[in-house]
C-alpha cells in the first residue's frame, strides 16, 4: 500500500469552490514514492464516516484532474446550464449509483498508531460515473463537455453521457444513456452542455468517467502519526488495465475500417523529454536498462532529459548514460507531502554526485505550491538556500521551480527574485474545448503568458503532452493519431523551449480521470 500524510489544512481545501484562478492541468505523479498524492481543481463531493479501527473521520473523495489556466482577469459569475441530446430515438435510462474505488482520505486527530483495514471493491463491468470539469468562458453561449465519437459511415451509436438536471433548486448530475443517430461519416459530440454566461466566468460541468472491470484493493496498513490532525491518503491498487469502453453501433459489420496514418513525426526537433527510471510495476530499473532507454532518447534527436528526483540511483545511472550518449540533464529536487525538510537530502545527493558539466537546469520543486506541500515563501527560501549550496559546490548554471500558470501568476512576485528562469507545466488536453489540432497553439499562447510573469527572464515549458489512450474530455480526445497531431503542433510552437511528457507510459500510476494518466508516452512518435 502506498499512502501519503498531508497537512489538514490541505484537506480542507478539497471543499473549496472553483474560481477563475483555479484552472489547472491534470496532475502527474512522477517520483515513484510520491505518486499517491492527489489534488483537485474541480468540484469535490465529500461524505463522512468513522472507521471503527482508528476513531478517525474518513472522507471518501472523488478527485478530478486539473485544467491549465486560461489567462485572463476573471471573476466567477452564475451561469445557466441547458443539456440537449439531439436525434434521440430511444428511451433514456438512468444508470444506478455505483460503488467505485475512490481513494480514502482519513484525518487522524491525535498522534498515535492507527490501523486501516483492508477494503476491496470488485467491478464486474466498466462502470461509468460523473466527474467534474471546469472551464473559463467569455460572455455568450458555449458548448462544453459531451462524449465525442468518430464514425466511418451512417450509424446509430449507443453511449452514456453526463446530464444536468435541476430539481427544486438543486442541480443534479447523473449518467444517462442514449441512442444517437449519426447520418453520415464524421465526428459527433453527444450530450454536450450549452452554457450561457453574461461575463467572463468559470463554469463547472459534468463529464462521464469510468473505472475498468477488476478487483481494486486497499491493503491493510498500520501508520504511526506524529502530528495533530494529520491526513492519511490510502489509494486502491489498480487492476490489470482493460480497454476503454466501446459504444455499440448499429452500422453493418462489413463497414470498412479506417486507415491509420503513420505514427511517426521524425526527428524530435524538441529540446527535452521527461524520464523516470521505473519499471511498469514501479520498481527501479537497472543501470543497463536505463542505458538502453537513454541511448534510444539520444537516437530520437532529443538534446536533454528531465528527471524529477534523486531516487533509484537516478543521478548515477541516468547521468552515466547521458554522458556516454551526449545528452544533457535537467535534474530535480522533488518536494512531496513531507515538505522541504525531507527534500533537503536530495540537495546533498546532487552535491555529492557533482557532475555539473551534464546539468543544464536544476528544477527545485514540481508544483509544490499547487499541491500544498509548501508555501510560496518557503519555496522561495529553499531555492535561495539550495542555489547557494550548489554554487559553493561548483555549479554555475540556472535554477528554477515549475508550477501551473495560475500559481505563477499569483506568486510570481515572491518567486521571481529567487529563480534564474521561469518554468511552467501546461497541458491542453485538460481544457475540454481544445482538440488535438489546437494543442500547439494553446501551449504556445500559454508560453507567451508565462514569459510575462518574470520580465527579463527566459521562460520554459517544463511539462507538456497529450495522451494516446483513454476517453474524450469534450473536444479533447486521446489517441495515437491525436497525440501525433498535438505533439507536432506543440513542437512547432515551442519545441526548443519545451520538455515533452513523457518517454514511457507510467503503468504504476492510477488511471485518473478519462483513464489517461498512464498513457502519455510519446517516444514512439520519433
Amino acid at each position: 500500500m502506498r499512502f501519503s500524510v498531508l497537512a489538514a489544512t490541505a484537506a480542507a481545501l478539497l471543499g473549496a469552490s472553483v474560481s477563475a484562478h483555479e484552472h489547472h492541468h491534470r496532475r502527474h505523479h512522477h517520483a515513484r514514492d510520491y505518486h499517491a498524492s492527489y489534488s483537485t481543481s474541480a468540484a469535490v463531493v465529500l461524505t463522512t464516516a468513522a472507521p471503527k479501527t482508528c476513531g478517525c473521520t474518513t472522507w471518501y473523495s472523488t478527485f478530478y484532474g486539473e485544467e491549465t489556466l486560461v489567462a485572463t482577469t476573471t471573476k466567477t459569475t452564475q451561469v445557466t446550464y441547458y443539456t440537449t441530446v439531439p436525434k434521440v430515438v430511444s428511451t433514456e435510462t438512468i444508470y444506478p449509483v455505483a460503488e467505485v474505488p475512490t481513494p480514502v482520505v482519513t484525518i487522524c486527530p491525535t498522534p498515535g498508531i492507527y490501523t486501516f483495514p483492508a477494503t476491496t471493491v470488485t467491478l464486474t463491468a466498466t462502470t461509468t460515473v460523473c466527474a467534474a470539469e471546469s472551464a473559463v468562458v467569455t460572455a455568450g453561449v458555449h458548448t462544453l463537455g459531451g462524449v465525442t465519437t468518430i464514425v466511418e459511415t451512417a450509424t446509430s451509436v449507443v453511449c452514456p453521457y453526463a446530464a444536468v438536471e435541476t430539481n427544486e433548486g438543486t442541480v443534479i448530475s447523473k449518467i444517462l444513456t442514449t441512442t444517437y443517430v449519426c447520418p453520415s461519416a464524421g465526428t459527433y459530440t453527444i450530450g454536450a452542455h450549452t452554457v450561457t454566461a453574461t461575463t467572463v466566468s468559470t463554469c463547472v460541468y459534468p463529464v462521464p468517467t469510468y473505472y475498468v472491470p477488476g478487483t481494486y484493493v486497499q491493503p491493510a496498513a498500520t501508520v504511526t502519526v506524529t502530528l495533530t490532525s494529520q491526513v492519511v491518503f490510502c489509494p486502491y491498487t489498480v487492476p490489470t488495465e482493460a480497454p476503454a469502453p466501446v459504444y455499440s453501433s448499429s452500422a453493418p459489420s462489413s463497414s470498412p475500417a479506417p486507415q491509420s496514418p503513420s505514427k511517426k513525426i521524425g526527428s524530435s526537433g524538441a529540446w527535452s523529454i521527461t524520464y523516470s527510471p521505473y519499471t511498469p510495476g514501479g520498481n527501479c530499473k537497472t543501470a543497463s536498462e536505463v542505458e538502453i532507454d537513454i541511448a534510444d532518447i539520444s537516437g530520437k534527436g532529443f538534446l536533454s532529459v528531465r528527471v524529477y528526483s534523486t531516487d533509484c540511483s537516478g543521478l548515477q545511472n541516468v547521468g552515466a548514460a547521458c554522458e556516454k550518449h551526449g545528452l544533457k540533464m535537467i535534474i530535480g529536487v522533488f518536494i512531496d507531502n513531507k515538505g522541504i525538510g525531507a527534500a533537503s537530502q536530495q540537495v546533498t545527493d546532487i552535491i555529492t554526485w557533482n557532475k555539473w558539466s551534464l546539468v543544464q537546469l536544476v528544477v527545485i520543486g514540481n508544483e509544490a505550491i499547487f499541491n500544498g506541500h509548501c508555501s510560496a515563501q518557503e519555496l522561495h527560501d529553499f531555492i535561495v538556500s539550495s542555489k547557494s549550496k550548489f554554487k559553493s559546490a561548483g555549479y554555475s548554471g540556472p535554477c528554477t521551480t515549475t508550477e501551473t500558470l495560475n500559481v505563477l501568476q499569483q506568486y510570481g512576485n515572491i518567486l521571481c527574485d529567487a529563480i534564474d528562469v521561469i518554468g511552467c507545466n501546461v497541458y491542453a488536453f485538460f481544457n475540454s474545448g481544445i482538440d488535438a489540432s489546437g494543442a500547439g497553439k494553446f501551449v504556445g499562447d500559454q508560453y507567451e503568458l508565462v514569459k510575462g510573469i518574470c520580465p527579463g527572464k527566459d521562460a520554459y515549458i517544463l511539462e507538456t503532452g497529450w495522451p494516446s489512450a483513454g476517453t474524450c474530455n469534450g473536444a479533447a480526445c486521446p489517441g495515437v493519431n491525436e497525440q501525433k497531431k498535438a505533439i507536432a503542433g506543440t513542437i512547432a510552437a515551442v519545441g526548443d523551449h519545451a520538455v515533452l511528457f513523457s518517454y514511457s507510459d507510467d503503468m504504476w500510476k492510477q488511471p485518473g480521470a478519462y483513464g489517461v494518466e498512464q498513457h502519455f508516452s510519446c517516444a514512439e512518435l520519433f
Side-chain angles (χ1 to χ4, degrees), residues 36-355:
S37 177
Y38 284 71
S39 57
T40 67
S41 66
V44 177
V45 180
L46 303 177
T47 60
T48 59
K52 295 180 181 179
T53 55
C54 69
C56 313
T57 299
T58 300
W59 292 357
Y60 295 90
S61 309
T62 302
F63 295 77
Y64 310 116
E66 310 86 27
E67 298 179 344
T68 306
L69 177 68
V70 177
T72 180
T73 301
T74 64
K75 63 179 181 180
T76 302
T77 189
Q78 184 175 357
V79 296
T80 305
Y81 297 90
Y82 304 92
T83 302
T84 59
V85 183
K87 302 183 184 294
V88 174
V89 296
S90 67
T91 303
E92 293 178 337
T93 303
I94 299 175
Y95 278 47
V97 176
E99 182 183 13
V100 293
T102 54
V104 176
V105 178
T106 303
I107 298 178
C108 296
T110 59
I113 298 176
Y114 291 80
T115 299
F116 298 87
T119 303
T120 300
V121 175
T122 299
L123 301 180
T124 58
T126 297
T127 303
T128 306
V129 295
C130 279
E133 279 295 340
S134 57
V136 172
V137 296
T138 56
V141 179
H142 303 268
T143 301
L144 302 171
V147 176
T148 300
T149 185
I150 301 173
V151 299
E152 300 300 318
T153 186
T155 185
S156 296
V157 178
V158 179
C159 70
Y161 67 97
V164 176
E165 295 183 357
T166 302
N167 184 6
E168 297 181 352
T170 301
V171 177
I172 301 172
S173 298
K174 59 186 179 182
I175 296 293
L176 305 178
T177 186
T178 189
T179 299
Y180 188 90
V181 177
C182 305
S184 60
T187 301
Y188 296 84
T189 299
I190 304 167
H193 307 282
T194 301
V195 180
T196 302
T198 57
T199 185
V200 176
S201 310
T202 298
C203 173
V204 180
Y205 55 93
V207 294
T209 192
Y210 73 94
Y211 288 90
V212 299
T215 299
Y216 296 76
V217 179
Q218 176 200 301
T222 299
V223 179
T224 300
V225 173
T226 58
L227 299 176
T228 300
S229 298
Q230 283 190 344
V231 177
V232 176
F233 176 83
C234 301
Y236 285 81
T237 58
V238 183
T240 301
E241 186 184 18
V246 177
Y247 305 123
S248 61
S249 169
S250 60
S253 59
S254 59
S255 297
Q259 298 297 311
S260 296
S262 169
K263 288 175 55 177
K264 299 292 185 180
I265 292 175
S267 182
S268 73
W271 169 39
S272 185
I273 191 168
T274 66
Y275 180 77
S276 296
Y278 313 136
T279 68
N283 297 316
C284 296
K285 286 188 174 182
T286 65
S288 60
E289 289 173 326
V290 169
E291 199 273 330
I292 291 171
D293 292 342
I294 298 301
D296 186 44
I297 291 172
S298 177
K300 293 178 183 296
F302 290 95
L303 305 176
S304 177
V305 294
R306 181 187 174 195
V307 295
Y308 289 89
S309 67
T310 62
D311 66 334
C312 283
S313 300
L315 293 177
Q316 292 79 11
N317 293 345
V318 178
C322 285
E323 191 169 28
K324 179 178 179 179
H325 294 282
L327 293 178
K328 296 296 185 179
M329 296 176 66
I330 301 167
I331 63 175
V333 176
F334 197 90
I335 302 170
D336 68 357
N337 59 296
K338 299 181 184 68
I340 284 173
S344 298
Q345 179 59 46
Q346 296 174 65
V347 174
T348 301
D349 293 342
I350 291 171
I351 292 172
T352 301
W353 176 60
N354 197 32
K355 290 283 188 178

Side-chain angles (χ1 to χ4, degrees), residues 22-30 39-42 64-70 133-134 308 366-367 370-371 402-406 424-431 442 446 461-465 473 501 517 520:
E22 290 172 333
H23 293 273
H24 323 292
H25 61 78
R26 167 270 306 115
R27 179 69 254 114
H28 285 292
H29 306 286
H30 304 286
S39 57
T40 67
S41 66
Y64 310 116
E66 310 86 27
E67 298 179 344
T68 306
L69 177 68
V70 177
E133 279 295 340
S134 57
Y308 289 89
N366 190 78
E367 299 188 3
F370 172 78
N371 284 313
T402 187
E403 292 282 349
T404 54
L405 178 58
N406 67 306
C424 187
N425 296 345
V426 178
Y427 289 88
F429 176 82
F430 291 93
N431 290 266
F442 177 86
Q446 297 278 289
I461 304 298
L462 293 180
E463 277 185 29
T464 188
N473 171 28
F501 186 89
E517 290 291 338
F520 276 82

Side-chain angles (χ1 to χ4, degrees), residues 301-458:
F302 290 95
L303 305 176
S304 177
V305 294
R306 181 187 174 195
V307 295
Y308 289 89
S309 67
T310 62
D311 66 334
C312 283
S313 300
L315 293 177
Q316 292 79 11
N317 293 345
V318 178
C322 285
E323 191 169 28
K324 179 178 179 179
H325 294 282
L327 293 178
K328 296 296 185 179
M329 296 176 66
I330 301 167
I331 63 175
V333 176
F334 197 90
I335 302 170
D336 68 357
N337 59 296
K338 299 181 184 68
I340 284 173
S344 298
Q345 179 59 46
Q346 296 174 65
V347 174
T348 301
D349 293 342
I350 291 171
I351 292 172
T352 301
W353 176 60
N354 197 32
K355 290 283 188 178
W356 301 120
S357 62
L358 293 174
V359 179
Q360 281 190 319
L361 178 65
V362 181
V363 182
I364 303 168
N366 190 78
E367 299 188 3
I369 299 173
F370 172 78
N371 284 313
H373 298 329
C374 64
S375 69
Q377 188 61 54
E378 288 171 335
L379 181 58
H380 169 281
D381 296 345
F382 186 50
I383 293 171
V384 171
S385 171
S386 299
K387 284 174 59 177
S388 176
K389 293 176 182 178
F390 293 151
K391 182 177 180 180
S392 297
Y395 177 61
S396 59
C399 294
T400 190
T401 189
T402 187
E403 292 282 349
T404 54
L405 178 58
N406 67 306
V407 172
L408 293 173
Q409 290 175 320
Q410 183 175 358
Y411 297 111
N413 60 322
I414 297 176
L415 296 174
C416 282
D417 71 342
I419 57 179
D420 302 307
V421 299
I422 184 166
C424 187
N425 296 345
V426 178
Y427 289 88
F429 176 82
F430 291 93
N431 290 266
S432 62
I434 307 296
D435 63 13
S437 64
K441 181 180 185 304
F442 177 86
V443 176
D445 290 346
Q446 297 278 289
Y447 173 67
E448 291 301 317
L449 295 171
V450 174
K451 289 198 298 184
I453 294 173
C454 298
K457 295 188 176 182
D458 289 339

